[in-house]
Amino acid sequence: MVTSITSFGRSGLYDWMIQRVTAVVLAVYTVFMIGYLAFGAELTYEMWVGLFEGTAMRIFTLLALLSFAAHVWIGLWSVSTDYIKPTGIRFVFQSACGLLTFIYVVWGIQILWGI
């Protein structure tokens, strides 16, 4: 059996499941944020800071950030392996995507937790 070392999960089924779970997390987070922005009072800086001061919201946002990273990686990995046939170009593309995803996650954590 051939195993892929560049896939996020152990097999296509695990990647598919991770895609679906992360999509649900992102959908719930998006609906919450749209509801907060649409149905809340006039948004001020103090309200925005107050929302993200709570540990629960920070954890929820961190979960959404990590879900976004996993979802993006699996999606771009799948597209690149399907449509970019030259190995060198695909490697460069996947490396750039992985590096950017890592940078965005670290940057998001720094913003979220104030590190």
Side-chain angles (χ1 to χ4, degrees), residues 13-85:
L13 178 62
Y14 286 104
D15 285 348
W16 181 87
M17 185 59 73
I18 291 169
Q19 278 284 88
R20 295 326 175 255
V21 169
T22 57
V24 169
V25 170
L26 292 171
V28 170
Y29 188 79
T30 301
V31 168
F32 172 79
M33 290 304 292
I34 289 172
Y36 182 80
L37 295 172
F39 300 114
E42 183 179 336
L43 186 63
T44 62
Y45 177 76
E46 290 77 23
M47 287 179 61
W48 193 250
V49 169
L51 175 65
F52 286 95
E53 276 182 348
T55 304
M57 187 60 191
R58 286 184 178 184
I59 291 171
F60 187 32
T61 303
L62 180 62
L63 180 63
L65 180 65
L66 295 175
S67 294
F68 181 74
H71 196 88
V72 164
W73 172 250
I74 292 170
L76 288 174
W77 180 86
S78 298
V79 168
S80 67
T81 55
D82 286 346
Y83 295 106
I84 302 175
K85 296 303 177 189

Side-chain angles (χ1 to χ4, degrees), residues 83-105:
Y83 295 106
I84 302 175
K85 296 303 177 189
T87 306
I89 295 171
R90 185 173 61 235
F91 175 76
V92 169
F93 177 80
Q94 289 175 347
S95 298
C97 289
L99 179 63
L100 282 173
T101 301
F102 176 76
I103 289 170
Y104 290 146
V105 167

